[in-house]
Amino acid sequence: MTAPDPALVDLLGLVAYGELLAFDRLAADARLAPDLRRRAALSEMAAAEMANYRRVADRVVALGALPEEAMGPYVGALQAFHDSTEPKDWLEAVTKAYVGDAITDDFLGEIAGALDEPDRRLVLDVLHESRYAEFAAAEIRAAIAADARVAGRLSMWARRLVGEALSQAGRVAAADRGALTALIGRREGVDVPALFQRLTAVHTERMTAVGLNN
Amino acid sequence: MTAPDPALVDLLGLVAYGELLAFDRLAADARLAPDLRRRAALSEMAAAEMANYRRVADRVVALGALPEEAMGPYVGALQAFHDSTEPKDWLEAVTKAYVGDAITDDFLGEIAGALDEPDRRLVLDVLHESRYAEFAAAEIRAAIAADARVAGRLSMWARRLVGEALSQAGRVAAADRGALTALIGRREGVDVPALFQRLTAVHTERMTAVGLNN
């Protein structure tokens, strides 16, 4: 067996740890749910993240690496992001999931474009779990419909999340063993400013779609 | 469609809420895990509880009732148990799962004996998720092997859990709308003292198996 591509294992480690953290965060958010129906819905979405985690972890093992070692470098950086953006209530929790997870998914999706199959498809598959985004968007819209002042408070919270996410990106890059950067660079004709423009445009669209402003 | 058996819906509500709580508790315990490997293992076990939850909730819906209404009466009583037995560390968490979940499962398993099929099989199936019990037992044994004094501390914690579980049973009975009591009474030749003797005997065996004492 040839040695696994370290850039690939690192990226899969980041994606796997992202799933594990999403599970943890959704499970904690479920406690903030205003009723049992929404609590159960969120708990099921959390469980779905673990099915994604298992797929990525199995691939890491198949590549001859250990999932816990592949995830290790990212623990501190991502934990710091979550510690600095602990939601105070249900609406902050769903906004964080709607805004934060989507921007992370978009970013990882761009990087995954540089992978060969089957890993490209695997990463895009596990990122493309949109059930929670739709659920979160419906919750935000309903809250704004019930009280228009909510839009201002949640817009401000969303801007703070993006700011923290950007500094998280910096921390992840610092934690990374050079592999992610290599992957981005490997992508043919990669244009980093254009990449950021795409990410920002999609983010703005997403905010507008639920009545929040940048 | 005939009206659903209220005793059956109530019992399924209790079992469903038990799964939702087990999910929540395992997800919280995962944060106490000493390493990523064990954290991921616990998170996957939490996710498995939600698959069980889904099976029971689907059955409640098929019976013409709403899962959130069936679960409602038990929320306060079970929450009080968990609030009064919050684990302080990893070993308390695994001991709580090993001792507390098993005794609850045994009790619900005895009640399920009074159900007709397919519900009898459904309840026994979702209770019979022993992966975590084996994982927890291995963790407790390893900790005692490393430091014999741990046995005393965890034995004391286990006794407290059983005491709280008994008073939880009283609270659940008070929350119950008479259906569980009816189900227990419906079981042919039910002998409540003998039932408690069986539960106690199995509990003692379980404690001894991992080096704890009653």
Side-chain angles (χ1 to χ4, degrees), chain A residues 61-87:
Chain A
V61 171
L63 289 167
L66 284 174
E68 51 271 29
E69 284 179 13
M71 293 192 284
Y74 304 107
V75 173
L78 295 187
Q79 195 59 54
F81 170 70
H82 287 293
D83 289 348
S84 69
T85 57
E86 190 79 38

Side-chain angles (χ1 to χ4, degrees), chain A residues 131-153:
Chain A
R131 281 195 306 158
Y132 188 44
E134 285 153 27
F135 176 89
E139 291 289 314
I140 297 168
R141 278 195 210 100
I144 293 174
D147 178 0
R149 286 167 306 176
V150 166
R153 172 167 82 87

Side-chain angles (χ1 to χ4, degrees), chain A residues 17 20-21 23-28 30-31 36-37 39-40 42-44 46-48 50-51 53-54 67-69 71-72 75 79 86, chain B residues 17 20-21 23-28 30-31 36-37 39-40 42-44 46-48 50-51 53-54 67-69 71-72 75 79 86:
Chain A
Y17 189 64
L20 199 53
L21 258 185
F23 160 82
D24 178 77
R25 225 245 349 276
L26 288 169
R31 292 186 170 195
L36 274 177
R37 186 183 61 76
R39 178 169 157 198
L42 228 62
S43 302
E44 291 199 87
M50 288 313 295
Y53 166 83
R54 176 45 46 207
E68 51 271 29
E69 284 179 13
M71 293 192 284
V75 173
Q79 195 59 54
E86 190 79 38
Chain B
Y17 189 63
L20 199 53
L21 260 185
F23 161 82
D24 177 79
R25 226 245 349 274
L26 288 169
R31 292 186 169 194
L36 275 176
R37 186 183 60 76
R39 178 168 157 198
L42 227 62
S43 303
E44 291 199 86
M50 288 313 294
Y53 166 82
R54 177 43 47 208
E68 50 272 29
E69 284 178 13
M71 293 191 285
V75 173
Q79 196 58 54
E86 191 78 38

Side-chain angles (χ1 to χ4, degrees), chain B residues 9-19 70-71 74 78 108 172 180:
Chain B
V9 171
D10 277 13
L11 178 64
L12 293 178
L14 175 58
V15 172
Y17 189 63
E19 297 292 339
M71 293 191 285
Y74 304 107
L78 294 187
L108 290 173
V172 168
L180 287 186

Side-chain angles (χ1 to χ4, degrees), chain A residues 98-139:
Chain A
Y98 180 74
V99 169
D101 288 3
I103 221 169
T104 314
D105 283 4
D106 288 346
F107 177 66
L108 290 173
E110 291 274 352
I111 298 181
L115 297 176
D116 296 325
E117 299 298 355
D119 299 291
R120 190 176 157 280
R121 178 64 13 227
L122 171 65
V123 172
L124 293 177
D125 264 10
V126 303
L127 295 180
H128 207 80
E129 174 69 70
S130 61
R131 281 195 306 158
Y132 188 44
E134 285 153 27
F135 176 89
E139 291 289 314

